[in-house]
Amino acid sequence: MGRLSNKVAVITGGANGIGLATATRFATEGAKVVITDVNDTNRETALKKIGNGAIFIQQDVSKEADWAMVFEKVIDVFGKVDILFNNAGIAAMGDAEHFTAEQWHQIMAVDLDGVAFGIKHAIQNMKTNGGSIINMSSIEGLIGYPNLFAFTAAKGGVRLMTKSAALYCAQQKYNIRVNSVHPGPIHKPEKDNDPKEQKLVSEHLPMLPLGRFGETVEVANLILYLASDESSYSTGSEFLVDGGYTAQ
């Protein structure tokens, strides 16, 4: 307990999934947590689960003006930002031959532009006191997948943007660490009865050495490590949590 005492964390896409699991872990470790999301449908449920005085800010990560607004509000309430988890993202099936321009631009706007704007504004607001930026990538940021052409491109971009930002912060002596997280297949309890999800599970299980999908809390535990001072010598690196998927 207390691994994030006196720290303030911003988590995008924090109202559900990995974002919510991470926000909850952060709060149990003493952090003041701010979750953002593009809509406020799950706002009250999420805040109740997180506890510890967590707050919600509605944000479209693809709009840079929203990023300036988020940091302004968080600093007004808590006085600083120590941690940014760039978690918000979208995915859509589409191969290299059949993707649409609309699909491409939408995924890039959220998954790549959104992370870039987050990195920029986090650096500007953390450079005096230092901090940790954690960017959500994917195993598809490291290996190819035939039906996720745009998503793979965006997540690969996140991996290399992370390295560039980490080197820049080190060069400037800002004491800001920047790392990326690359989950493999993660269990989605809300889709347990969805035939499409069950088909996806059956296709991927044989490729998972540990024989199961990961749980959101298992990803959150890794992100907690990167947010804490325990990872003080880690920057510009990618961290896998994939049940051995990419080890083969």
Side-chain angles (χ1 to χ4, degrees):
M1 299 293 286
R3 293 161 73 186
L4 299 182
S5 292
N6 302 315
K7 294 187 184 293
V8 178
V10 175
I11 299 174
T12 66
N16 51 61
I18 292 171
L20 178 56
T22 302
T24 305
R25 285 292 287 121
F26 280 15
T28 63
E29 294 292 341
K32 294 298 183 183
V33 179
V34 179
I35 58 170
T36 81
D37 219 299
V38 71
N39 62 65
D40 63 358
T41 305
N42 298 320
R43 171 179 182 165
E44 296 305 323
T45 302
L47 290 177
K48 184 177 180 180
K49 181 174 183 179
I50 299 163
N52 199 37
I55 65 172
F56 175 93
I57 300 174
Q58 195 162 2
Q59 178 196 23
D60 181 343
V61 296
S62 70
K63 296 178 179 178
E64 186 171 8
D66 276 21
W67 277 104
M69 173 270 296
V70 165
F71 275 94
E72 183 179 349
K73 286 187 176 181
V74 175
I75 291 170
D76 184 56
V77 174
F78 295 116
K80 61 174 182 172
V81 176
D82 302 293
I83 301 156
L84 170 64
F85 176 29
N86 266 319
N87 170 66
I90 58 174
M93 302 300 286
D95 58 58
E97 183 180 5
H98 301 103
F99 74 92
T100 66
E102 180 183 10
Q103 179 191 70
W104 174 271
H105 290 303
Q106 185 180 27
I107 289 174
M108 291 301 159
V110 176
D111 294 6
L112 198 59
D113 295 356
V115 173
F117 293 144
I119 291 171
K120 174 183 176 180
H121 286 269
I123 291 173
Q124 290 176 352
N125 287 279
M126 289 179 179
K127 61 185 179 182
T128 300
N129 298 317
S132 176
I133 301 171
I134 303 132
N135 298 323
M136 176 61 85
S137 183
S138 167
I139 56 171
E140 275 80 36
L142 299 168
I143 60 175
Y145 192 82
N147 295 320
L148 287 171
F149 181 67
F151 182 77
T152 300
K155 293 304 185 180
V158 168
R159 173 178 175 264
L160 288 179
M161 284 197 309
T162 296
K163 295 180 182 297
S164 177
L167 292 174
Y168 172 77
C169 289
Q171 181 187 67
Q172 299 299 312
K173 302 189 185 307
Y174 284 160
N175 193 29
I176 299 172
R177 296 177 295 104
V178 192
N179 293 287
S180 58
V181 173
H182 300 254
I186 302 300
H187 175 221
K188 301 178 180 67
E190 70 277 10
K191 292 188 176 182
D192 281 346
N193 297 316
D194 184 336
K196 290 183 179 179
E197 187 69 13
Q198 290 307 306
K199 182 174 182 294
L200 186 68
V201 170
S202 64
E203 289 174 352
H204 281 85
L205 272 179
M207 295 182 279
L208 290 166
L210 291 187
R212 64 176 178 84
F213 274 35
E215 299 295 337
T216 55
V217 70
E218 293 177 305
V219 185
N221 288 335
L222 175 58
I223 297 161
L224 171 61
Y225 166 72
L226 293 173
S228 75
D229 294 337
E230 295 164 16
S231 58
S232 57
Y233 199 57
S234 296
T235 195
S237 296
E238 58 264 10
F239 289 80
L240 281 152
V241 52
D242 69 347
Y245 193 110
T246 58
Q248 305 172 89

